[in-house]
Amino acid sequence: MSSSISPFYRPGVFPALSNRLLSSASQTLRLAINQQIYIKTVYSNPLRVTGLPLTTTKGFTYLIAASWHPKRKRQTVNSISGGGHPWWKERMRAGKVDAGEDAFFYVGTNNGVALGVADGVGGWSQMGVDPANFSWALMDNAASVAKDNAPDLSPFIAPSGYDDILDAKQILSGAFENLIKSGKVKAGSSTACILSLSKSSGILNAATLGDSAYILIRNGALLYESPSQQHFFNCPFQLTIVPESYPNQKLYFKDKPSDAQQTSHQLQDGDVILLATDGFFDNVFADEAVEIVNRELHDVMGHDGMVREKDLENLRTHVRRLSRRLTDTARRFSLDPRRISPFSQSAKQNGEIRIGG
């Protein structure tokens, strides 16, 4: 890629290899829980898997796990300040973990759970900018908004009338507004997907911008797949900060949080939510993901889709294993040069020939 190409454009010849996956299974809580579930982390280089805290109330329990494969590190040829430098050195300080150009967050709130993923636009690396700085700042801000500033947010009112849940689009808007005000990130872009879940009513509210997305699986079948927002092929909607002194301002897409698509669902016992960036969805078809989910959760789910396993620690083990399997599968598919992937199919529909993950 030459430096004249705008950073919002991610050339299809270099599809994302890093995947963050948040795998969330919900079940109605029928038994009182008297023990504290602590964070557990499993390392298996280069895969990273994190078992996140159990969230519970008298309504719904959410079991959440995260896993990711970082991209290969690259060096830049230019920088905004002039003179090239290896931006991957800065990446070491970008976020809590090395998830490539991507980031994620999870936080428990008074009334529910908020979680999300963001994909830093890789084209900025050609300008000497670490894409992970933007995505991690956005997700850290989202966690802060959801947890600390919740009283200042208007609740999302579901069609059923429930108003006990944070508005996912307001979380995204607050996160981006704080990112701009802080001035800590001078340049960058990112897609994002944020989910807000109620622990009492089981309502899920989502805000998706670009090609970070989620799917909802119920009774072993795909119930919903959030659509991708694209300006054109391989150029998703994205939140952007461009230095005022930077030339060619009109070349950058500067989408707003208000452009995010907002949806809501009434969750049921045994629902499974897969939340990921395009590193996953560019390589794994939704029906393939559903097949993996069904296979991995076969031992704990009944034929009616209800959770039959009552041992929460065993359920957590299955959710972590599911997260690992999905992320491993995405990475394996991404390295297959002959695979007809979702990315290559999309390229063909747009008049381009791209084979492989």
Side-chain angles (χ1 to χ4, degrees):
M1 179 199 300
S2 68
S3 59
S4 62
I5 298 180
S6 177
F8 63 67
Y9 181 59
R10 292 182 287 185
V13 295
F14 300 112
L17 294 180
S18 67
N19 321 309
R20 264 98 21 251
L21 176 70
L22 291 176
S23 172
S24 170
S26 68
Q27 71 170 113
T28 303
L29 183 65
R30 296 185 176 87
L31 300 175
I33 301 171
N34 298 316
Q35 59 181 0
Q36 174 69 40
I37 306 298
Y38 295 95
I39 297 176
K40 294 185 178 180
T41 304
V42 178
Y43 295 99
S44 177
N45 193 36
L47 174 68
R48 300 292 186 266
V49 182
T50 300
L52 300 171
L54 173 72
T55 63
T56 179
T57 186
K58 60 182 179 181
F60 281 74
T61 297
Y62 299 104
L63 300 176
I64 303 174
S67 60
W68 57 93
H69 275 295
K71 276 186 177 181
R72 296 185 180 93
K73 303 247 186 335
R74 296 172 295 174
Q75 291 189 354
T76 184
V77 295
N78 294 300
S79 70
I80 289 179
S81 58
H85 68 278
W87 60 259
W88 53 265
K89 289 185 178 180
E90 295 182 3
R91 168 175 295 176
M92 303 303 291
R93 303 188 299 272
K96 299 178 180 66
V97 299
D98 180 8
E101 297 167 351
D102 304 347
F104 61 88
F105 84 96
Y106 158 93
V107 65
T109 66
N110 291 335
N111 297 322
V113 182
L115 63 161
V117 294
D119 180 2
V121 175
W124 280 101
S125 64
Q126 298 297 315
M127 307 298 174
V129 175
D130 184 346
N133 287 333
F134 190 103
S135 57
W136 272 113
L138 186 67
M139 292 293 94
D140 288 343
N141 288 349
S144 178
V145 169
K147 186 174 183 178
D148 301 328
N149 300 335
D152 300 328
L153 303 179
S154 300
F156 173 77
I157 302 177
S160 57
Y162 285 107
D163 61 355
D164 62 340
I165 184 171
L166 296 180
D167 189 307
K169 185 177 284 190
Q170 287 194 44
I171 296 175
L172 178 61
S173 180
F176 186 53
E177 181 180 345
N178 291 345
L179 192 155
I180 295 175
K181 288 181 178 179
S182 71
K184 294 180 179 179
V185 178
K186 304 300 182 182
S189 305
S190 179
T191 65
C193 178
I194 291 180
L195 306 184
S196 177
L197 301 86
S198 168
K199 291 188 287 187
S200 56
S201 66
I203 298 292
L204 180 156
N205 180 237
T208 56
L209 184 82
D211 53 10
S212 290
Y214 73 98
I215 62 175
L216 174 58
I217 301 171
R218 177 173 297 168
N219 297 331
L222 181 66
L223 181 66
Y224 180 81
E225 179 179 6
S226 61
S228 176
Q229 294 175 306
Q230 301 274 345
H231 289 289
F232 51 82
F233 172 63
N234 207 29
C235 178
F237 282 32
Q238 57 207 254
L239 303 176
T240 302
I241 291 180
V242 182
E244 293 183 0
S245 60
Y246 205 74
N248 303 320
Q249 292 279 333
K250 294 182 179 180
L251 292 179
Y252 300 86
F253 286 112
K254 301 176 182 179
D255 301 298
K256 302 177 181 179
S258 58
D259 295 320
Q261 176 167 299
Q262 192 165 32
T263 53
S264 65
H265 310 274
Q266 173 63 64
L267 298 178
Q268 297 181 9
D269 185 24
D271 283 356
V272 176
I273 306 159
L274 306 182
L275 171 62
T277 66
D278 66 340
F280 180 83
F281 291 112
D282 275 355
N283 291 292
V284 182
F285 289 101
D287 59 345
E288 293 174 324
V290 172
E291 182 180 351
I292 295 171
V293 169
N294 291 339
R295 184 166 62 248
E296 291 296 326
L297 298 184
H298 177 267
D299 294 339
V300 296
M301 302 285 283
H303 295 297
D304 57 358
M306 303 287 283
V307 178
R308 65 188 183 193
E309 174 60 66
K310 302 307 177 185
D311 185 331
L312 287 172
E313 187 59 30
N314 191 32
L315 283 173
R316 285 174 59 84
T317 299
H318 278 78
V319 172
R320 288 196 298 265
R321 187 170 63 192
L322 169 62
S323 184
R324 290 197 300 268
R325 183 60 57 89
L326 286 162
T327 309
D328 276 343
T329 299
R331 183 177 187 276
R332 177 164 51 86
F333 285 171
S334 76
L335 300 175
D336 184 351
R338 298 181 180 276
R339 175 171 166 76
I340 304 300
S341 63
F343 183 85
S344 63
Q345 275 199 355
S346 180
K348 183 178 181 180
Q349 294 171 358
N350 286 274
E352 298 188 29
I353 305 300
R354 307 283 176 85
I355 304 298

